[in-house]
Amino acid sequence: MKKYIKLNMNEMPYPPPIEVINSAKKGLSNLNRYTSQESLEMLKNMLSDYSKAPKEHIILSSGSDLLIREMIHLFSKRRKTIVADPTFFPITQAAKQFASKLLKIRLSEPSFDLPISYLIDELSEQSLVVIDSPNNPTGKILLDRVEDIVETGAYLLIDEAYYEFSGIGFAELVKDHPNLAVTRTMDKAFSLAGARIGYLIAGKTFLNDFSGFDTFLPLPSVYAAIEALKNIDYMKKNVNKIIDERKRVEREAARIGVKVYPSNTNFLLMKTGVLEVARELKKAGVLVFDLSNQLSSEFIRVSIGTKDENNFFLFSLGKLIKTYNQNSFK
Amino acid sequence: MKKIGLIVNPVAGMGGSVGLKGTDGNMYKKALEMNANPITPERTKEFLSYIKNFSDITFFTAPGRMGEDYLREFNISLKVVGSISENVSAEDTKKIAEEMVKKIDLLVFVGGDGTARDIYDAVGLKKPVVAVPSGVKMFSSVFAVNPRAAAEMVDSFIKGTDLKEEEVLDIDEDAFRNNKLSATLYGYLNVPYVKRLLQSGKEASRTDKHTMEDKEGIAKHIIEEMDDEILYLFGPGTTTKAITDKLNLPKTLLGIDAVFKGKIVGKDLNEEGILKLLKKYNKVKIVITPIGGNGFIFGRGNKQFTFDVIRRIGKENIIVVGTEPKLRNLNCLRIDTGSLEVDKTLQGYIKVVTGYREKMMMEVRC
């Protein structure tokens, strides 16, 4: 099997600390047992402290995408569902499947801003608004306040999968706004993609429908998550490393003629000028996220990897652009 | 000081409002018989009024209504090149362009796809050009998005900008009038490259599974929402045709048809025909689809929807439909009605029906 450099899933390139790995191993050695209620409560308590949101408002799941899907499934009927476009793919997928009425709001170059005033104009009828902020794949923070939306009575779900990189989140506000909910994940910043710990911090309006949703998460995942939350500094150190490296990649990519959009995440949106660029990079041994179905085939979303991985990506992309330009001028 | 040439095709675009879909060959005479008004004078004046750096330009212009008349109004230095016949033709455009090309740094022409072909024949890649859109279809990618953008391209050229080869298409107008879009690549012209100011060329209609499913969903959605009290004006294109197909009605693929209470009440309408219907029916809605590749909803290929028609019908009565694969390649929707005032009323965000109970809110720019 060919080995690729994986820059397509927005994973943290650095492994979790040894304490987290040892905790997961402890969970593995008890795989014949279900996760105890005490462990789940402990994880919720720690997430409550970390998010500054009441524990009773936290719902756990194997991955935040399942929670997003469930939110849309439960609350899109008899409501207009409003999403950004482009957005995190599971949001669009679930909205298309479950929404009785769907409105996508196109984010356009060069800013990829969400036109908030037009969005608010749409909230005169009952609505469920699902926004990822920072947005995937643009990396842009789409919401800097929520009051204008939630005060209309609309249900608002914000996916904050990249909260640790952006530093902007609304979890604390769910206790004041029953119609506000936030999804987060430990997959990215906490280096726990393989553990799949996602959580929903939901306002009161949503809580009844989620009773009993979060039981029986895998034991190794729960143990790993608890230990990771004891090591917040390790996560923060990695996040800072990624942000520094992201800035370097942004500069280097711009130097080879790529349009790079400002990001608040662990990935970069790039417009390369090369058609089918993701396919071509795969041939060179680099996996990046292909955006031909969301923007166009010259766009890619590139996760920030280790310095060596990023250098190989930049080298491969530079070579590709050079060849492409030479062929274009023939 | 830059030497800039100006050639205006005075008959370009005249076929638009009267529904002739072009003025190539002798069609402009027919347009005159149908009381069509010249389009290019206003477009040329609009272009010239937006140029910022007149003091950096010496104009070389075609005589009379092919350029000189408009420049005289701006009281600037100019040199007239060549002479023109009484009934101007493509030959005048080519002859003057050939004569001008040795004297200038940049050529500006005002016209449509046919004029672009004439300019290509005379100039080729010898000198850069700026194309002020003033035709009926304008499917070639050499054109600026509107006259104001063309003026900005001239300013960019003066300041110094890269050049890029853009396509000139050969549209078979006779086939077009018979509901067939036959476009072949005619050649390339060098244009100052400021991407946001240039329109993209028209892309071919898609027939992939996703597109066909979207069209089916769009047709179902629109038909479900149709009201027997409202007259619907269906614009050109295969997406609007999918709706009339589902209604079992014949559609002029590249023209405008009117439907009321499930029946056709107007075929291949021109501006006059539409205005007559507007007097007869109280409630009227337009159903249009953007042009694939460049996103124009008004001002390209559907000039029968004049700015007067659009103003009377109003933004709230415009229904835009488009498949996701088509919209995916568009950063925004475009308008170029010929009236900046009307263009501004359509600016902002508009909802596009993309499927059954699915809409996409997209920015409209002018």
Side-chain angles (χ1 to χ4, degrees), chain A residues 85 96 100-106 108-110 115 118 122 271 292-296 298, chain B residues 195 210 214 324 327-332 347-349 351 354 357-363 365:
Chain A
D85 181 286
K96 274 185 168 278
S100 51
K101 229 168 151 185
L102 174 60
L103 176 64
K104 295 162 279 180
I105 301 184
R106 187 67 183 271
S108 301
E109 285 181 81
Y118 286 92
E122 290 297 318
K271 189 178 185 181
S292 38
N293 288 328
Q294 295 189 64
L295 292 166
S296 79
E298 62 176 318
Chain B
K195 198 174 178 190
H210 189 168
D214 279 4
E324 271 200 28
L327 299 183
R328 202 54 66 207
N329 280 343
L330 302 174
N331 189 43
C332 63
Q347 257 186 178
Y349 279 77
K351 280 184 258 182
T354 56
R357 297 193 174 178
E358 276 189 35
K359 290 178 184 172
M360 172 103 74
M361 195 185 266
M362 286 190 79
E363 192 178 0
R365 292 181 194 161

Side-chain angles (χ1 to χ4, degrees), chain B residues 237-251:
Chain B
T238 55
T239 314
T240 48
K241 188 174 181 298
I243 303 166
T244 49
D245 283 352
K246 209 170 170 66
L247 288 166
N248 288 320
L249 297 172
K251 170 88 181 76

